[in-house]
């Protein structure tokens, strides 16, 4: 086999490998979405879904504790109320406030977490600042609503749940410079 034939064989192998890797990368998106749907993680994928016709369970109350944290940001971040009592199925809105205490513009992204973890399967957010990155100018203060409901299918032995948001700074190239460990979420 001469050099031209050898180069042709290598080129064909590289083209086949490239096509396979492109297909694999393309298939990862629906695979990731399905994993999030099954596990109830990353509820962000359901941002545009409409609330189904649910009945409000007026015989039951659930206390929703609200928590706010920042990691590596010179921001003050807090809910305007520390908790709210809701009926399962009832549409609720709470407001968080964030303040940039620095002299520079900062990009941040809020990552939600829930306790107990199964709340993620029963919590439907219609509006949330966590759906997109937030850009705060120096010394800017912003109030950000979260509109949600807890489905009546939440187990009846659960009377108190926690919704927590942690803001992380996004790097200048719009990619997250996050160092998140599973035990921190």
């Amino acid at each position: 086999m001469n050099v031209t034939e050898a180069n042709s064989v290598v080129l064909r192998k590289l083209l086949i490998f490239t096509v396979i890797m492109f297909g694999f990368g393309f298939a990862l998106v629906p695979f990731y979405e399905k994993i999030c749907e099954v596990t109830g993680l990353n509820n962000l994928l359901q941002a545009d879904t409409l609330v189904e016709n649910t009945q409000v369970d007026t015989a039951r109350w659930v206390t929703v504790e609200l928590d706010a944290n920042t990691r590596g940001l010179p921001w003050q971040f807090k809910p305007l109320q520390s908790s709210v009592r809701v009926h399962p199925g009832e549409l609720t809105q709470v407001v968080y406030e964030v303040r940039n205490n620095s002299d520079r513009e900062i990009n941040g992204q809020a990552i939600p977490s829930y306790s107990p973890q199964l709340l993620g399967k029963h919590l439907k957010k219609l509006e949330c600042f966590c759906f997109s990155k937030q850009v705060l100018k120096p010394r800017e203060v912003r109030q950000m609503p979260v509109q949600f409901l807890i489905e009546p299918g939440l187990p009846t032995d659960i009377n108190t749940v926690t919704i927590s948001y942690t803001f992380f700074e996004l790097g200048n190239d719009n990619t997250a410079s996050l160092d998140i460990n599973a035990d921190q979420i």
Side-chain angles (χ1 to χ4, degrees):
M1 181 183 324
N2 64 27
V3 174
T4 305
E5 289 175 0
N7 285 344
S8 179
V9 169
V10 169
L11 178 62
R12 273 187 254 132
K13 288 180 180 179
L14 287 174
L15 286 174
I16 291 170
F17 180 75
T18 302
V19 169
I20 290 171
M21 290 309 295
F22 177 77
F24 179 73
F26 203 79
L28 281 178
V29 173
F31 181 68
Y32 175 75
E33 289 175 354
K34 195 61 170 172
I35 287 176
C36 290
E37 179 184 324
V38 168
T39 61
L41 298 174
N42 200 358
N43 203 3
L44 304 177
L45 296 173
Q46 300 167 358
D48 294 345
T49 58
L50 295 175
V51 177
E52 298 173 6
N53 236 347
T54 59
Q55 297 294 325
V56 176
D57 183 358
T58 56
R60 184 171 163 213
W61 287 100
V62 175
T63 301
V64 180
E65 296 175 343
L66 305 169
D67 182 47
N69 306 286
T70 60
R71 173 127 183 219
L73 280 171
W75 288 4
Q76 286 180 327
F77 176 49
K78 64 180 180 181
L80 294 185
Q81 58 193 94
S82 60
S83 66
V84 62
R85 284 185 66 195
V86 301
H87 293 291
E90 175 181 33
L91 188 60
T92 305
Q93 180 169 313
V94 295
V95 178
Y96 283 77
E97 183 175 272
V98 64
R99 174 187 311 266
N100 181 355
N101 292 326
S102 76
D103 293 326
R104 64 183 175 98
E105 183 176 279
I106 299 177
N107 298 328
Q109 177 76 44
I111 306 296
S113 60
Y114 313 110
S115 176
Q117 189 172 5
L118 69 86
L119 175 63
K121 295 179 182 178
H122 300 283
L123 179 70
K124 300 300 176 205
K125 289 184 278 186
L126 303 173
E127 180 182 349
C128 184
F129 55 88
C130 64
F131 293 154
S132 60
K133 77 174 182 176
Q134 302 296 319
V135 180
L136 269 67
K137 299 195 180 313
R139 308 290 176 202
E140 180 181 355
V141 177
R142 184 180 301 161
Q143 291 189 348
M144 304 174 298
V146 177
Q147 195 173 52
F148 67 92
L149 68 80
I150 295 176
E151 294 177 334
L154 182 72
T156 56
D157 62 332
I158 298 176
N159 299 318
T160 302
V161 297
T162 302
I163 300 175
S164 179
Y165 292 97
T166 303
F167 256 111
F168 294 90
E169 184 171 359
L170 296 178
N172 292 335
D173 60 354
N174 292 333
T175 58
S177 57
L178 306 180
D179 180 23
I180 306 173
N181 295 325
D183 60 336
Q184 296 170 328
I185 294 181

